[in-house]
Amino acid sequence: AQSVTQPDIHITVSEGASLELRCNYSYGATPYLFWYVQSPGQGLQLLLKYFSGDTLVQGIKGFEAEFKRSQSSFNLRKPSVHWSDAAEYFCAVGFNTGKLIFGQGTTLQVKP
Amino acid sequence: DAGVIQSPRHEVTEMGQEVTLRCKPISGHDYLFWYRQTMMRGLELLIYFNNNVPIDDSGMPEDRFSAKMPNASFSTLKIQPSEPRDSAVYFCASSNLAEGRETQYFGPGTRLLVL
């Protein structure tokens, strides 16, 4: 069955430090890949997406993600975290059916 | 664009009452999705529409839930009768084929509490 795994439920980083959030998927072919961010009490905002082509994708708010086919991964990165990045981050995969399957989310806490 | 609009933002009701959640998708989007978010189950797709027609409702939990899309700019999700286990955040999202139907834009959600 298709699935998405975000191994880290909660991550804490210091402001200014680098960030990497992990995402792995289980599927026979390359799916469409997404990262969303959800601030408390808010809806989900699309950070970036990968459909095909260059495996390093740039998104909004200084985020980027790299697709690694051999590892079935699509990890999200940011070189320097700001306090306003504290939120919950969701990885999602689509399979050209219109449906998205979401991971369980990773909560990011930023220490001053 | 105003983005996806949902109403109400918060709803508190008593068990057994009917609840209607509303959604206005982004203009020009031809796909509309209803999701439910809970701590236990995360984000679940309930149903989605294409050009106002329901395509996949396999995620709808039971007959108490129904969804309609009478036109391209409006959809409702109805729960009748509501139960405490329906308490969750319900999101509406929309997309279009040009950008990719999986590129979904979410509304702010409706926080439902059933007492």
Side-chain angles (χ1 to χ4, degrees), chain A residues 19 29 45 51 58-60 66-67 74 84 97 103-104 106 111:
Chain A
L19 172 70
Q45 182 182 20
F51 279 15
Q58 301 298 319
I60 62 171
E66 185 173 13
F67 167 58
F74 188 56
S84 60
T97 62
Q104 285 298 101
T106 298
K111 293 190 303 184

Side-chain angles (χ1 to χ4, degrees), chain A residues 37-95:
Chain A
V37 60
Q38 184 180 25
S39 297
Q42 303 297 316
L44 280 75
Q45 182 182 20
L46 179 64
L47 284 176
L48 47 76
K49 63 183 179 182
Y50 172 81
F51 279 15
S52 65
D54 192 347
T55 56
L56 186 62
V57 179
Q58 301 298 319
I60 62 171
K61 304 186 178 188
F63 285 93
E64 66 178 26
E66 185 173 13
F67 167 58
K68 292 186 177 180
R69 185 190 310 274
S70 61
Q71 299 176 18
S72 296
S73 69
F74 188 56
N75 294 349
L76 182 70
R77 301 194 294 245
K78 186 169 185 178
S80 177
V81 170
H82 188 262
W83 63 265
S84 60
D85 294 324
E88 190 161 17
Y89 292 79
F90 292 92
C91 179
V93 299
F95 305 96

Side-chain angles (χ1 to χ4, degrees), chain B residues 98-115:
Chain B
E99 196 175 358
R101 52 188 170 176
E102 284 87 355
T103 305
Q104 297 171 18
Y105 295 89
F106 283 73
T110 295
R111 282 148 185 79
L112 173 65
L113 177 61
V114 183
L115 301 174

Side-chain angles (χ1 to χ4, degrees), chain A residues 1-4 26 34 91-95 99-103, chain B residues 35 43:
Chain A
Q2 303 143 351
S3 64
V4 182
S26 172
F34 304 82
C91 179
V93 299
F95 305 96
K99 298 170 71 168
L100 285 180
I101 297 176
F102 285 84
Chain B
Y35 289 87
L43 271 159

